[in-house]
């Protein structure tokens, strides 16, 4: 007699699968609630596991939220890893497409990651800060590797500040886009791309004495409009 599929035993999750399941539940809860309003008992109940098993994977709520934040940080960095040899403009278009795809597909994780800055726990905030710093380093490395934008690195403090400000801008845009998706992904991508170029390129009449950041050739090459592939 064939087994009734409704009464078939559930497949036992592997250690990694169970960990991912718990982190997914955590991302949803932390995205929707402040850190202090999330309870481990609630996570265990939603995941269908005992509180003891959850504590086996994550000894404290702090460790749990830090793991949620770290997973999202690793995922974002992995999706936007620069490809050696590609011009910054191409990397910017493809990287933003991949990043916005992540934002759409993992909205809860993205929100949870950025909720970490509001957490009072220093460990969670440290993981969040390192995630942002890694994104910043990734962008600066791509700018340095491209001969077209490498001259801009002659003023590292200004470039670092511009990239950091752009990351804050992009996060604000993406969070707003998730709440009110009136623009297409392509429109958001182009908006963010123009904002980065506007942040790192010199103002034509800035009067700066620094040749690299005031180079007319650099401005003409990197600042001329060029449509990204949809």
């Amino acid at each position: 007699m064939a087994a009734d599929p409704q009464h078939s035993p559930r497949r036992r999750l592997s250690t990694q699968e169970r960990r991912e399941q718990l982190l997914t539940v955590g991302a949803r809860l932390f995205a929707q609630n402040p850190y202090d309003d999330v309870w481990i008992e609630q996570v265990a109940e939603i995941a269908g596991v005992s509180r003891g098993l959850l504590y086996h994977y994550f000894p404290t709520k702090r460790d749990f939220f830090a793991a949620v934040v770290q997973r999202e940080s690793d995922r974002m960095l992995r999706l936007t890893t620069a490809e050696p040899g590609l011009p910054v403009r191409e990397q910017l278009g493809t990287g933003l497409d991949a990043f916005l795809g992540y934002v759409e597909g993992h909205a809860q994780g993205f929100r949870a990651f950025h909720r970490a800055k509001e957490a009072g726990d220093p460990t969670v905030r440290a993981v969040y800060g390192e995630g942002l710093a890694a994104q910043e380093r990734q962008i600066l490395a791509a700018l340095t590797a491209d001969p077209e934008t490498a001259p801009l690195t002659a003023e590292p403090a200004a470039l670092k500040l511009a990239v950091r400000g752009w990351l804050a801008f992009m996060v604000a845009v993406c969070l707003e886009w998730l709440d009110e998706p009136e623009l297409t992904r392509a429109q958001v991508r182009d908006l963010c791309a123009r904002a980065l170029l506007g942040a790192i390129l010199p103002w034509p009449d800035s009067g700066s004495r620094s040749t690299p950041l005031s180079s007319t050739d650099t401005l003409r090459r990197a600042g001329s409009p060029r449509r990204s592939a949809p």
Side-chain angles (χ1 to χ4, degrees), residues 35-228:
Y35 175 75
D36 291 337
D37 291 349
V38 176
W39 296 86
I40 288 296
E41 292 81 1
Q42 184 183 15
V43 177
E45 181 180 356
I46 294 174
V49 301
S50 68
R51 186 174 59 178
L53 180 61
L54 197 153
Y55 279 126
H56 171 74
Y57 286 92
F58 309 100
T60 66
K61 186 172 79 168
R62 175 185 65 188
D63 294 327
F64 183 48
F65 191 21
V68 170
V69 174
Q70 187 65 63
R71 181 183 72 158
E72 299 308 321
S73 175
D74 293 342
R75 183 178 282 163
M76 284 186 275
L77 289 172
R78 186 169 59 251
L79 288 173
T80 56
T81 299
E83 295 187 31
L86 280 182
V88 163
R89 281 184 175 277
E90 289 185 35
Q91 295 197 45
L92 182 58
T94 57
L96 280 171
D97 265 332
F99 180 79
L100 293 174
Y102 157 79
V103 170
E104 282 187 309
H106 301 276
Q108 304 285 23
F110 180 72
R111 286 192 174 103
F113 176 79
H114 289 289
R115 266 195 181 276
K117 69 179 179 181
E118 303 167 2
D121 191 285
T123 299
V124 173
R125 290 174 64 89
V127 174
Y128 174 71
E130 176 53 33
L132 292 180
Q135 293 177 31
E136 184 180 304
R137 290 193 297 268
Q138 191 177 67
I139 295 170
L140 290 171
L143 293 172
T144 302
D146 188 346
E148 186 174 319
T149 52
L152 303 176
T153 61
E155 292 187 7
L159 184 60
K160 186 176 182 179
L161 185 61
V163 169
R164 187 171 297 171
W166 177 74
L167 282 171
F169 167 83
M170 184 176 64
V171 168
V173 166
C174 288
L175 289 173
E176 182 75 16
W177 181 48
L178 287 175
D179 292 336
E180 299 181 12
E182 298 178 0
L183 300 182
T184 65
R185 186 200 295 189
Q187 288 175 313
V188 176
R189 177 201 62 205
D190 291 347
L191 172 65
C192 292
R194 290 195 303 270
L196 178 58
L197 293 177
I200 66 175
L201 293 175
W203 192 248
D205 299 323
S206 62
S208 171
R209 295 182 180 181
S210 173
T211 300
L213 279 180
S214 302
S215 169
T216 303
D217 289 340
T218 300
L219 177 63
R220 184 180 298 115
R221 291 197 307 270
S224 58
R226 185 184 308 172
R227 293 184 62 85
S228 302

Side-chain angles (χ1 to χ4, degrees), residues 1-10:
M1 182 176 179
D4 184 347
Q6 293 183 348
H7 296 87
S8 298
R10 292 183 179 180

Side-chain angles (χ1 to χ4, degrees), residues 10-29 43-50 53-54 57-58 64 68 71 75:
R10 292 183 179 180
R11 183 177 68 85
R12 185 183 182 89
L13 297 180
S14 68
T15 299
Q16 184 60 32
E17 288 173 332
R18 178 66 72 188
R19 189 176 189 275
E20 285 297 307
Q21 178 208 23
L22 295 172
L23 291 175
T24 298
V25 172
R28 175 158 60 90
L29 292 175
V43 177
E45 181 180 356
I46 294 174
V49 301
S50 68
L53 180 61
L54 197 153
Y57 286 92
F58 309 100
F64 183 48
V68 170
R71 181 183 72 158
R75 183 178 282 163

